[in-house]
Amino acid sequence: MSEVMVDVHGVHKSFGPLEVLRGVDLRVRAGEVTVILGPSGSGKSTLLRTINHLEKVNRGWISIDGELIGYRRSGNRLHELKEKDVLKQRTHIGFVFQNFNLFPHLTVLDNLVEAPVSALRRPRKEAEETARRLLERVGLADKAGAYPRQLSGGQQQRVAIARALALEPKVLLFDEPTSALDPELVGEVLDVIKDLARTGTTMIVVTHEIGFAREVADTVVFMDDGVVVEQGPPAAVLDAPRHERTRAFLSKVL
Amino acid sequence: MASTTGAAPPGPATADLRPGAPPAPDDPASLKVVPARHYARWAAAVAVAVLVAQFVHGLATNPVWEWGVFRDYVLSETIVRAVWVTLQLTAYATVLGFLLGTVLAFMRLSRSPVLQTVAWTYIWIFRSIPMIVQLVFWFNLSALYRELGVGIPFGPVFWSVDSNSLIGTIGAAIIGLTLHQAAYAAEIVRGGVIAVDRGQLEAAAALGIPRLRQIRRIVLPQAMRAILPTAGNEIIGLLKGTSVVYVMSIGELFYQVQVIYGRNGRVIPLLLVATAWYVVLTSLLSVAQYYVERRYARGADRTPPPTPVQRARRFVRTLREAATRRDRPVVPLKTLGPVGESR
């Protein structure tokens, strides 16, 4: 089996008195797709946001490709990284938001070019070529000059995926990528993600699309109340869940 | 209301709607449209028009306005030079004030309690002092600090200069206006920044875009949409506010006008001269504001609003079309084009 790309180890996270993550362990191998399922409030999105350090963890650690996220280890101390270094780490971690969060005042092309040019110091011309190739890949080659608000929700999310890919990240995180879309637009976004899965991109996807999980996931993780309740191949978790809580959740959404 | 006793409902809904059926005689599309008549509106318009005509007539015929004197002075060299001073004061105070204001705004938004407190205190103090009081303070700076120098804080001074020679009267005025303006600009900029969706910063952070670049490239351009209308107000207010520096005997527009009418006693026409210039300058600023706002609206609407020129052209075209199609009974509804499908 291939090496571990994302390693989440004993992560705790609280917002004030509310403990959202209560010791989460998760391992994702390179080239695999992990789908996280669970009722709302179970901590799925928070877990995803701790992986690229949008949220700081209170306890535990996370590493990507062997590199600790947000901290530097020397001896048996963890030194908190400065924002500048955290930003550098984030260029290896693509993040796709539920609400797309495209930059509305920039054209589609500029949305894709911005981070490679400013964070990775790529020459603009090279970044534009990459951007156009990525737009073609998500089927939006003709929208390079459009502004995000001139696109449908599905198109915007495809642009957002292309934007995350422009940094050539080691892992892609999706936070409910289709939850803000009209039902008829969900398919086009899932198709893009499936295509990425086929080409061996390491991905963690938080979603409510059980069918997608069954079709694409190598591992399905079921979370509830801030812990991983069970995980395994989709056939095991979705069709023969061992835990009562998993069964209760699946009976509601299937 | 609802009747359950069967039978077709009465009224025009009984029209035969099957395809191929001949249009019913009461099909609304074939009828002539008679526009509603607004008698009260017309009466009010006439009354207001009469009042306006009276006022304009008074402007033209009342000898007190002394239009001849107005003509003599409005483009005179003294006045034009005074307008130039006014413009310079406005420009310096705007640019420096908004630069300092932006710094203060981000200090208030920073996570450092020291920076927050300093910025908050600055804004509190400078919003509390009337501009005129502050200006007189600066005018008397040399009484407060005879010399200004550079050195180690609380330690020896390496280089110093007489404060009056460093900061002339104009310099003092610019500093005063700038410091005053910065306090207001800070709040305007801060308002614009917090109006930008949080997700924008998260997306920028998730993409690893460097912090300063996040602010310059992602946050500020979007904040400008909220900043500009208020900033436009402020700059126009500042343009007129520069007239306050007459207390420092600086030869800007209002001071110069006062000097002239102090000499020749023609108060009314000279006030008109000042008024005319302030109106012209404000109008220019308003036009500039419109175009700057339009530029920062890129991407905000699906179709950008037309420029005034485009709008005027379209209006003329509509009139022409309406004239050639007088016989058509249907009034065109989209006379002024898309109102912008804003979202």
Side-chain angles (χ1 to χ4, degrees), chain B residues 2-82:
Chain B
S3 137
T4 47
T5 48
T14 51
D16 193 350
L17 293 176
R18 277 168 306 175
D26 54 355
D27 175 10
S30 66
L31 301 179
K32 187 172 169 65
V33 176
V34 182
R37 300 205 152 79
H38 306 278
Y39 298 107
R41 204 184 289 170
W42 295 344
V46 169
V48 170
V50 167
L51 286 175
V52 170
Q54 251 184 322
F55 178 71
V56 172
H57 179 255
L59 268 186
T61 57
N62 188 341
V64 180
W65 296 111
E66 296 189 89
W67 288 104
V69 180
F70 174 85
R71 259 193 303 278
D72 288 344
Y73 279 101
V74 73
L75 291 175
S76 69
E77 205 197 322
T78 330
I79 293 295
V80 171
R81 205 178 293 142

Side-chain angles (χ1 to χ4, degrees), chain A residues 96-115:
Chain A
V96 175
F97 294 86
Q98 181 177 351
N99 299 315
F100 332 134
N101 286 341
L102 293 176
F103 306 129
H105 61 302
L106 302 180
T107 61
V108 165
L109 191 70
D110 281 336
N111 264 279
L112 266 67
V113 164
E114 176 58 30

Side-chain angles (χ1 to χ4, degrees), chain A residues 49 52 83 87 90-91 93 97 101-106 110 114-115 118-119 147 149-151 156 163 167, chain B residues 111 197 199-200 202-211 213-214 217-218 221-222 298-302 343:
Chain A
R49 291 162 61 86
N52 77 343
E83 190 172 357
L87 287 168
R90 290 212 186 101
T91 59
I93 311 166
F97 294 86
N101 286 341
L102 293 176
F103 306 129
H105 61 302
L106 302 180
D110 281 336
E114 176 58 30
S118 68
Y147 285 98
R149 291 214 174 103
Q150 294 166 333
L151 307 180
Q156 288 190 49
R163 179 174 74 171
L167 291 166
Chain B
R111 275 169 233 156
D197 181 28
Q200 291 291 312
E202 280 194 348
L207 286 164
I209 296 171
R211 187 81 183 131
R213 177 94 177 171
Q214 287 180 21
R217 176 86 166 149
I218 307 299
Q222 295 187 64
R298 278 178 316 177
D301 299 319
R302 293 192 151 199
R343 266 223 297 168

Side-chain angles (χ1 to χ4, degrees), chain B residues 68-308:
Chain B
V69 180
F70 174 85
R71 259 193 303 278
D72 288 344
Y73 279 101
V74 73
L75 291 175
S76 69
E77 205 197 322
T78 330
I79 293 295
V80 171
R81 205 178 293 142
V83 168
W84 180 234
V85 174
T86 292
L87 280 176
Q88 276 180 308
L89 288 173
T90 310
Y92 277 118
T94 300
V95 172
L96 298 175
F98 271 87
L99 278 179
L100 180 56
T102 307
V103 172
L104 286 166
F106 281 99
M107 282 169 72
R108 268 206 76 180
L109 292 166
S110 81
R111 275 169 233 156
S112 152
V114 176
L115 297 187
Q116 280 174 25
T117 311
V118 169
W120 184 89
T121 311
Y122 178 97
I123 293 166
W124 167 60
I125 290 187
F126 279 86
R127 285 203 306 195
S128 308
I129 311 174
M131 188 146 86
I132 194 160
V133 174
Q134 214 221 117
L135 283 170
V136 178
F137 252 114
W138 284 101
F139 192 55
N140 295 300
L141 178 72
S142 56
L144 201 55
Y145 300 103
R146 198 164 302 279
E147 291 196 329
L148 296 174
V150 180
I152 296 170
F154 307 107
V157 176
F158 304 131
W159 175 84
S160 75
V161 65
D162 175 37
S163 54
N164 255 351
S165 65
L166 179 69
I167 305 166
T169 329
I170 294 247
I174 288 173
I175 292 177
L177 291 169
T178 298
L179 295 183
H180 179 82
Q181 199 51 44
Y184 288 91
E187 289 296 272
I188 294 172
V189 172
R190 192 173 66 93
V193 169
I194 55 183
V196 175
D197 181 28
R198 262 191 64 85
Q200 291 291 312
L201 266 183
E202 280 194 348
L207 286 164
I209 296 171
R211 187 81 183 131
L212 262 179
R213 177 94 177 171
Q214 287 180 21
I215 290 169
R216 240 190 38 236
R217 176 86 166 149
I218 307 299
V219 175
L220 278 181
Q222 295 187 64
M224 284 304 256
R225 297 254 305 145
I227 290 173
L228 282 172
T230 340
N233 251 356
E234 277 297 308
I235 296 169
I236 286 169
L238 182 64
L239 171 78
K240 293 175 296 176
T242 55
S243 57
V244 168
V245 308
Y246 84 92
V247 295
M248 303 165 87
S249 317
I250 290 172
E252 50 73 52
L253 184 54
F254 184 54
Y255 178 79
Q256 219 53 276
V257 161
Q258 281 181 306
V259 167
I260 297 172
Y261 72 59
R263 221 165 40 216
N264 65 10
R266 307 273 209 245
V267 178
I268 298 291
L270 278 154
L271 285 180
L272 266 185
V273 167
T275 306
W277 274 109
Y278 284 124
V279 168
V280 166
L281 297 178
T282 303
S283 312
L284 291 177
L285 280 176
S286 307
V287 171
Q289 182 186 348
Y290 177 84
Y291 280 96
V292 176
E293 274 184 29
R294 196 168 181 280
R295 190 188 133 78
Y296 279 100
R298 278 178 316 177
D301 299 319
R302 293 192 151 199
T303 41
T307 63

Side-chain angles (χ1 to χ4, degrees), chain A residues 175-195:
Chain A
D175 188 6
E176 305 200 19
T178 58
S179 295
L181 298 177
D182 290 339
E184 79 270 23
L185 301 177
V186 168
E188 61 184 74
V189 171
L190 292 184
D191 284 344
V192 169
I193 304 177
K194 283 178 202 164
D195 176 58

Side-chain angles (χ1 to χ4, degrees), chain A residues 21 28 36 38 57 89 139 141 156 183 203 220 231 235 246:
Chain A
L21 298 178
V28 176
I36 304 181
V57 301
Q89 289 188 327
Q156 288 190 49
M203 296 194 278
V220 171
Q231 57 177 310
T246 319

Side-chain angles (χ1 to χ4, degrees), chain A residues 59-106:
Chain A
R59 200 136 52 87
W61 50 263
I62 294 164
S63 74
I64 289 189
D65 204 10
E67 191 183 348
L68 271 183
I69 295 300
Y71 298 89
R72 181 173 49 81
R73 184 172 174 171
S74 69
N76 48 10
R77 280 178 197 222
L78 286 184
H79 296 271
E80 211 177 298
L81 287 182
K82 289 200 189 128
E83 190 172 357
K84 194 173 150 219
D85 301 308
V86 174
L87 287 168
K88 206 168 286 167
Q89 289 188 327
R90 290 212 186 101
T91 59
H92 302 305
I93 311 166
F95 200 99
V96 175
F97 294 86
Q98 181 177 351
N99 299 315
F100 332 134
N101 286 341
L102 293 176
F103 306 129
H105 61 302
L106 302 180

